[in-house]
Amino acid sequence: MRPYTLIAELTYRCPLRCPYCSNPADWASRHDALTTEDWCRVLREAEALGVVQLNLTGGEPLLRRDLEAIVAEAARLDLYSSLITSGLPLTRERLAHLADLGLTAVQLSVQDTRADSSDRIAGTRSFDRKMQVARWVKQIGLPLTLNMVLHRDNLAHVAEAVAMAEAMGAERLELANTQYLGWALFNRAALMPDRAALDAARTIALAARDRLRGRIEVLFVTPDYWADRPKACMDGWGRRSILVSPDGLALPCHAAHTIPGLTFDNVRDRPLGDIWRDGAGFNAFRGEDWMRDPCRTCDRRGRDFGGCRCQAYHLTGNAAEADPVCALSPHHALVSAARTAPPAPVRHRAARAIASGSGAPHPSNAHTGSRADPPASPG
């Protein structure tokens, strides 16, 4: 099977400090290892593999001074390129230049629908600039996706998010509940919504999806912890997506490198096509041979592919276990307990406490990493 999407994490640097950040815990010690030519070569190799969609993300991709050269190469290869950004830093002139070079779309993250709470969650004043960036995107004529990561502190504002997307003229609204990996696992109890709030938000989102069909695509992603069966993480391990980190690692998902015992190749050392086809890390959980019961005998195994391997590892210590969000998993009690865990202080040093003021226990066997649900917005 050929890959469809390349997720290019251009840098871990970011002006925001969100409590659900996808950056690795040691992000400050990591550097942007890939040069402009490295990234352009990766794009060429990805296109040769069959990739048609490019997500330029981070961290904050705007902090790469060579973003323009990367966008221009993507356009030359006829890749659909989406800039996934916090909007900081950005000028109208730079955005217009990126559009002239061939940038196809912009996905803008907002932390909430209100300036005070959005700025608090982001850890810096940013809301007003984000609203300005949204206006620039529409003035320049680029398609706009508005993304808001949902959690306990903003879940009640889904109706406001829908109204914001309508007012902006956005083509797409992504309401993606937090995936509890990386910093979000640290802060799980701060972010975890209760069932009543989740159901109310889903009802509003689904009604908006029906009302706005044909005008705005409304996507509501249910949090894994409140489902009884897992989602197909990244459409299955090593099936349709390749992620390249700022370090140059080629990965099947954002957090794969946090699973011990797996080996992932670096695009500086090996062609992307070879990594995709023969890389040990990519082949580790492809297909069904790795599965054990209950996954092996489940009639959903060809649809959910056993769920998230990173979530299985970070909760159970074994990436080959059934994803604990599945009600059939022998470890499902870990998820059930987390749903009603009492509040605790936020433990993410780089984030400011959100209004609910709670944090997640850090499992003794967990390595910190980044989330596994694509595409991920900065902050």
Side-chain angles (χ1 to χ4, degrees):
M1 179 175 290
R2 71 173 179 85
Y4 178 82
T5 301
L6 174 66
I7 303 168
E9 286 190 325
L10 299 182
T11 182
Y12 287 133
R13 292 173 291 153
C14 183
L16 307 187
R17 295 294 182 267
C18 307
Y20 46 79
C21 180
S22 67
N23 277 347
D26 62 346
W27 69 271
S29 66
R30 297 173 178 245
H31 303 288
D32 302 342
L34 300 186
T35 66
T36 307
E37 179 49 39
D38 286 332
W39 275 116
C40 290
R41 174 178 51 80
V42 166
L43 298 191
R44 293 192 293 271
E45 294 174 352
E47 191 275 337
L49 273 173
V51 163
V52 297
Q53 179 170 305
L54 172 66
N55 293 333
L56 298 165
T57 183
E60 175 48 67
L62 289 166
L63 295 177
R64 289 280 304 213
R65 294 181 179 179
D66 58 355
L67 179 61
E68 284 76 4
I70 296 170
V71 166
E73 181 66 5
R76 189 186 71 80
L77 295 167
D78 201 25
L79 297 175
Y80 185 97
S81 59
S82 181
L83 177 65
I84 302 173
T85 179
S86 67
L88 306 175
L90 185 63
T91 64
R92 192 186 190 286
E93 291 72 25
R94 190 180 188 192
L95 181 61
H97 185 44
L98 288 168
D100 289 342
L101 290 171
L103 182 68
T104 315
V106 174
Q107 177 175 308
L108 179 67
S109 71
V110 295
Q111 283 60 47
D112 205 345
T113 57
R114 306 169 185 183
D116 56 348
S117 56
S118 181
D119 291 348
R120 182 177 65 253
I121 294 167
T124 188
R125 292 182 63 181
S126 55
F127 182 82
D128 290 342
R129 171 51 66 91
K130 289 172 182 286
M131 297 302 100
Q132 180 65 70
V133 168
R135 290 191 288 270
W136 291 340
V137 172
K138 297 307 299 180
Q139 290 167 5
I140 291 168
L142 289 169
L144 172 65
T145 293
L146 185 67
N147 173 275
M148 190 165 83
V149 176
L150 299 178
H151 47 79
R152 180 186 302 178
D153 206 35
N154 64 10
L155 194 61
H157 303 158
V158 164
E160 295 176 20
V162 172
M164 177 185 290
E166 289 186 84
M168 287 179 174
E171 282 76 16
R172 194 165 190 260
L173 171 63
E174 289 190 6
L175 300 167
N177 280 273
T178 303
Q179 173 82 359
Y180 297 106
L181 291 171
W183 290 114
L185 182 58
F186 276 125
N187 293 318
R188 187 174 60 190
L191 302 167
M192 181 71 68
D194 62 49
R195 188 54 185 260
L198 177 64
D199 288 346
R202 183 195 291 114
T203 298
I204 293 170
L206 294 183
R209 184 187 64 184
D210 293 340
R211 177 174 62 84
L212 296 171
R213 196 180 306 276
R215 292 173 48 207
I216 302 176
E217 180 185 2
V218 178
L219 176 67
F220 184 89
V221 181
T222 303
D224 286 358
Y225 278 52
W226 284 109
D228 62 0
R229 294 293 187 273
K231 296 189 288 289
C233 183
M234 303 289 287
D235 196 29
W237 183 282
R239 293 186 75 248
R240 302 304 302 273
S241 299
I242 305 175
L243 182 144
V244 177
S245 73
D247 313 273
L249 290 181
L251 304 166
C253 72
H254 296 79
H257 64 289
T258 69
I259 300 176
L262 296 185
T263 300
F264 294 103
D265 297 289
N266 197 295
V267 296
R268 292 175 295 170
D269 305 322
R270 192 178 184 191
L272 191 63
D274 290 352
I275 298 173
W276 172 258
R277 288 184 291 267
D278 303 319
F282 273 87
N283 286 321
F285 296 108
R286 275 176 169 154
E288 300 178 7
D289 290 346
W290 63 270
M291 292 183 181
R292 59 182 69 176
D293 285 335
C295 296
R296 181 180 290 276
T297 55
C298 180
D299 61 4
R300 291 175 54 92
R301 66 185 182 276
R303 286 182 286 164
D304 62 31
F305 308 102
C308 178
R309 296 301 87 220
C310 302
Q311 194 154 253
Y313 167 69
H314 283 279
L315 292 182
T316 74
N318 187 341
E321 290 284 352
D323 188 335
V325 305
C326 181
L328 302 177
S329 166
H331 301 285
H332 185 63
L334 294 171
V335 170
S336 298
R339 294 171 181 168
T340 56
V346 168
R347 296 182 61 184
H348 183 254
R349 290 195 313 160
R352 306 225 179 138
I354 63 175
S356 51
S358 54
H362 183 45
S364 60
N365 66 346
H367 293 201
T368 53
S370 55
R371 67 179 174 271
D373 273 0
S377 298

